Amino acid sequence: MNHKEEVKTITEEKEYSILNLGPTHPATHGIFQNVLKMDGEVIVDSEATIGYIHRAFEKLAERRPFYQITPLTDRMNYCSSPINNMGWHMTVEKLIGATMPKRVDYMRVIIMELSRIADHIVCNSVIGVDTGALTGFVYLFQWREHIYEIFEEICGARLTTNIGRIGGMERDFSHIAWDKIDRFIKQFPKALEEFENLLMRNRIFMDRTIGTGPISAERALNYSFAGPNLRAAGVDYDVRVMNPYSSYQDFDFVIPVGTNGDTYDRFMVRQEEMKQSISIIKQAIKNLPDGPFHADIPDFYLPPKELVYNNMEALIYHFKIVMGETEVPVGEVYHCVEGGNGELGFYFVSDGGRTPYRLHFRRPCFIYYQAYAEMIRGGMLSDAILTMSSMNVIAGELDA
């Protein structure tokens, strides 16, 4: 190659820039990084780095009694922490072979569906913010606060709830809790419709979201997607229907499915899921069975305080449970629930001891975030943030 040819080759070579999207970018929650290869404002390639907030929950859980693991699950998807709590409790119940009263199942369904709505409120209102529409976010977030007030009345906590027990609920819902739930399901649908009217046919919102961050059904399945992100791509899969738990088979509801797997479809799927959650809650209240609010499993369910103070047997059970001296059968189970982001699973291996021998959390965010680089490739930098929001990447769940 002569000198003229060499100069020509160098000048014609494409010049790219490298951009760090996170971990300090507000949209990345300060804990995950994307190294973007940029051609102007177009993303040519991307490489994700996670682990900045990894807390080793699985190893911590292997050194904790079963009740002390519940607060660890809170800190995964903290936007819908009661679903995490219930999923863990059901996993232990599956291993010990406990059967829940119908009332417990229905009470859990009410709490889990309220949690799903709270989760989707966060995701969809933030999608609006990322397209420049702050009004919907400010308006809809007050309804998330109403849900937290319900949780606070039920268990005393709001965000990280530690709600329920292995075997049921700590107590029956108070009349104040029922009143707040009733008020919410009557008033929220109108607010949701108003929020939807702000964005669904808004030309700016549609231009920003339709065709942004798409993924095909085939690629979504290859990545093991679940939840709204999978259904937005056109795959009709929901754990509540495919593997019913907590008496979900008793309820009549529709599974919304998209077609394009883009940001707009993910938004609309979550919108419809909130409507279906309201329908499920109404059915649960209407058909709520009578009976106890906990199962008859004294080895795992804390006895009432008045019995602990006055009955030696109750005191012994209380001591054994609190001190983590209750053993479980040898075996291994996998139990999954439909979390806010999809299939939230717990793989529990027991050697018969007082703590899990091995425990693995299947965190939906960790699974589908692997596709993020592929989904933003070829798109604009401004769309990368929007795609991340529509996937609902929760930092605590991603890096658990």
Side-chain angles (χ1 to χ4, degrees), residues 14-292:
K14 197 80 170 178
E15 187 174 329
Y16 298 107
S17 57
I18 302 299
L19 178 68
N20 273 302
L21 179 61
T24 55
H25 191 288
T28 65
H29 304 211
I31 59 92
F32 46 95
Q33 175 192 38
N34 288 276
V35 183
L36 306 181
K37 184 179 180 181
M38 304 291 300
D39 178 9
E41 289 191 53
V42 177
I43 299 168
V44 178
D45 204 359
S46 171
E47 182 179 351
T49 306
I50 66 171
Y52 287 91
I53 200 174
H54 178 54
R55 293 151 292 175
F57 278 168
E58 292 169 346
K59 299 310 291 182
L60 284 172
E62 290 166 13
R63 299 292 181 270
R64 298 288 186 278
F66 307 112
Y67 267 112
Q68 291 183 21
I69 294 170
T70 308
L72 299 182
T73 66
D74 273 331
R75 273 90 183 151
M76 293 195 297
N77 185 351
Y78 37 76
C79 292
S80 51
S81 57
I83 301 179
N84 307 344
N85 300 157
M86 304 296 179
W88 166 241
H89 294 159
M90 285 184 242
T91 304
V92 178
E93 290 159 6
K94 188 174 183 177
L95 181 69
I96 64 177
T99 302
M100 295 301 105
K102 274 285 184 180
R103 186 176 182 86
V104 171
D105 284 349
Y106 279 48
M107 291 168 72
R108 283 177 170 176
V109 164
I110 292 169
I111 292 173
M112 287 188 286
E113 293 308 316
L114 286 170
S115 303
R116 195 179 320 282
I117 294 170
D119 195 289
H120 290 353
I121 284 175
V122 176
C123 181
N124 277 7
S125 60
V126 169
I127 292 173
V129 172
D130 289 340
T131 60
L134 182 63
T135 302
F137 172 88
V138 176
Y139 179 60
L140 206 60
F141 242 58
Q142 63 183 313
W143 295 96
R144 178 175 177 252
E145 289 301 305
H146 292 326
I147 293 174
Y148 283 177
E149 287 170 9
I150 294 170
F151 292 163
E152 190 173 16
E153 178 60 34
I154 291 171
C155 71
R158 293 165 58 85
L159 183 71
T160 49
T161 54
N162 192 21
I163 199 168
R165 290 180 182 167
I166 297 167
M169 304 299 297
E170 305 97 308
R171 61 187 70 87
D172 211 342
F173 292 175
S174 68
H175 71 277
I176 298 174
W178 286 118
D179 288 344
K180 289 185 175 183
I181 293 169
D182 186 59
R183 195 178 314 123
F184 179 83
I185 62 175
K186 285 178 179 176
Q187 297 176 356
F188 178 67
K190 185 175 184 294
L192 184 63
E193 183 182 1
E194 290 173 338
F195 172 76
E196 194 171 286
N197 290 339
L198 282 171
L199 299 176
M200 185 175 71
R201 304 302 298 169
N202 183 298
R203 176 47 55 191
I204 297 172
F205 183 80
M206 292 172 70
D207 287 347
R208 287 296 311 278
T209 56
I210 294 175
T212 299
I215 188 167
S216 68
E218 182 183 6
R219 292 301 294 156
L221 287 170
N222 287 345
Y223 277 111
S224 294
F225 271 35
N229 293 333
L230 177 63
R231 293 190 284 274
V235 180
D236 185 7
Y237 175 79
D238 189 303
V239 178
R240 295 172 294 177
V241 175
M242 300 301 292
N243 297 292
Y245 55 91
S246 197
S247 296
Y248 266 108
Q249 66 274 11
D250 295 353
F251 299 90
D252 181 24
F253 58 100
V254 176
I255 304 301
V257 179
T259 53
N260 301 316
D262 58 13
T263 298
Y264 188 79
D265 275 8
R266 288 190 282 272
F267 174 86
M268 291 308 300
V269 163
R270 286 187 173 90
Q271 283 294 112
E272 185 58 36
E273 283 192 7
M274 285 191 271
K275 298 173 187 175
Q276 295 301 319
S277 291
I278 290 292
S279 172
I280 293 170
I281 294 169
K282 287 180 178 178
Q283 293 175 58
I285 294 172
K286 181 181 178 182
N287 302 316
L288 187 71
D290 293 326

Side-chain angles (χ1 to χ4, degrees), residues 285-359:
I285 294 172
K286 181 181 178 182
N287 302 316
L288 187 71
D290 293 326
F293 54 87
H294 63 86
D296 184 19
I297 44 172
D299 285 334
F300 293 89
Y301 188 86
L302 284 166
K305 270 296 193 316
E306 58 269 20
L307 282 181
V308 174
Y309 293 145
N310 297 287
N311 182 288
M312 177 55 72
E313 187 180 34
L315 177 63
I316 292 169
Y317 277 127
H318 183 276
F319 180 83
K320 288 182 67 177
I321 293 170
V322 170
M323 299 305 293
E325 295 187 1
T326 303
E327 297 179 351
V328 299
V330 176
E332 58 183 277
V333 295
Y334 175 76
H335 183 74
C336 58
V337 295
E338 181 67 30
N341 286 323
E343 183 178 331
L344 174 69
F346 300 85
Y347 178 59
F348 179 11
V349 180
S350 168
D351 61 357
R354 299 169 181 175
T355 63
Y357 175 69
R358 287 289 183 269
L359 184 59

